[in-house]
Amino acid sequence: MANEKKMNCVILGLLSHESLTGYEIKKRMDTTFKFFWSASYGSIYPTLNSLVNDGMVIKLETTDNGRDKVIYTITDVGKEYFKKWLTLPVTKDELRYETLLKLFFGGEIGSDVTLEHIHNFESKIKSELPYLQGAVHELAKIQDDGEAHKYFLLTAMFGKRVYEAYLEWCEDARKILEDN
Amino acid sequence: MANEKKMNCVILGLLSHESLTGYEIKKRMDTTFKFFWSASYGSIYPTLNSLVNDGMVIKLETTDNGRDKVIYTITDVGKEYFKKWLTLPVTKDELRYETLLKLFFGGEIGSDVTLEHIHNFESKIKSELPYLQGAVHELAKIQDDGEAHKYFLLTAMFGKRVYEAYLEWCEDARKILEDN
DNA sequence: GACATATATATCAGACTGATATATATTTGT
DNA sequence: ACAAATATATATCAGTCTGATATATATGTC
């Protein structure tokens, strides 16, 4: 298996739960996964085609109110491949904070520009945090024995903790830069 | 400018401070930048060549104790290009936590495997945290008017805060998964 | 009725990774 | 003194993924 193409696994994961179109897959990622994963159409559609070729998913071409769409459904082969991948150790968490990169070299241009970068970062985080706080609040209430929500809760808690740490850091950073 | 190839900018940033070989550039990233950026030789060497073609850096082929090496030095054109980039707004912070992805779908296989993923994540973070704590400790002491260390301190503080948040989350996550 | 936005798919140049290859110098253990 | 392991140093490439662009229809809004 060699732990390759992660795009395969993200898509199979989403399809494990429900059949979706490529467009819907993208939407799921842009909402639920936003703070820890992302993908472009340029990888989603080609990946779906290759998954069909490999017998991991099947496609159903249909029409919805005159608009064409293709619904993808995972096969047993796909399910097995996905579960296998879940058990393999993580190869790499990939972080590329462009904000931090610009910050690191801030000495080259001075604090005004850097404070602006921090401000933009802070705004973005503040706008996204309520979704995470809401998710943690809602998911923590659920007391049934269904397992899936527990794992969703875990990721939301991760996002909440990290986002709150970001905001605390923004305060510290501003203080350091402002009192010259 | 169009904010393109980030590799250009990371390399120019490092060369702004001192002349380096491709190998040394990689080493700097693997230590100082580790927690917020990374790059492979497969992008470093080709980028250095294209920067030479664009007049951003000049190369000096030399020999060090019989071992060939090429030292790259930034030009005024390169410096200007880099400073321009620093002032442009951040286009995207890119996060791809494979750990979180496996966690999100943990319901498909159960808590043993998930706890293992969390354990591996925690070990990695614990091994890297002391470097960040040490950097914050050392840099915070410096009271001179040199500016550069202040920006380095900011990034180290970011790493420290985020890593500590990771570890707090690991505890929470374990608790939730362990009491069934 | 016009305009903006949402749904839906497809393609591609360019960027970057991870693997692989090659070669020499230094350090470590025996 | 020798071997083995590690560090220094560069280069290349198939495969992966992004960001941009293109196309077309449906729905909501003013």
Side-chain angles (χ1 to χ4, degrees), chain A residues 125-158:
Chain A
I125 298 304
K126 275 186 176 165
S127 75
E128 291 174 13
L129 182 54
Y131 165 76
L132 291 167
Q133 288 169 327
V136 169
H137 186 76
E138 290 306 310
L139 291 163
K141 284 196 302 201
I142 302 172
Q143 289 297 330
D144 68 27
D145 291 317
E147 283 295 295
H149 83 275
K150 199 185 270 185
Y151 293 89
F152 189 3
L153 170 62
L154 252 36
T155 54
M157 282 169 61
F158 180 95

Side-chain angles (χ1 to χ4, degrees), chain B residues 117-168:
Chain B
H117 291 318
I118 292 171
H119 175 76
N120 291 341
F121 179 71
E122 194 175 23
S123 299
K124 200 173 150 281
I125 297 303
K126 274 185 177 165
S127 74
E128 291 173 13
L129 182 55
Y131 165 76
L132 290 167
Q133 288 168 328
V136 169
H137 186 75
E138 290 306 310
L139 291 163
K141 282 195 304 201
I142 302 173
Q143 290 296 332
D144 67 29
D145 290 316
E147 283 295 296
H149 82 274
K150 200 185 270 186
Y151 294 89
F152 189 4
L153 170 62
L154 252 37
T155 54
M157 281 169 60
F158 180 95
K160 181 171 173 281
R161 277 237 189 246
V162 172
Y163 271 46
E164 284 166 354
Y166 287 160
L167 294 180
E168 285 162 23

Side-chain angles (χ1 to χ4, degrees), chain A residues 92 94-96, chain B residues 7 29-30 33-34 36-40:
Chain A
K92 205 190 178 194
E94 229 177 301
L95 312 181
R96 282 154 96 102
Chain B
M7 216 46 229
M29 292 190 199
D30 289 348
F33 289 8
K34 202 180 186 344
F36 69 85
W37 201 268
S38 66
S40 66

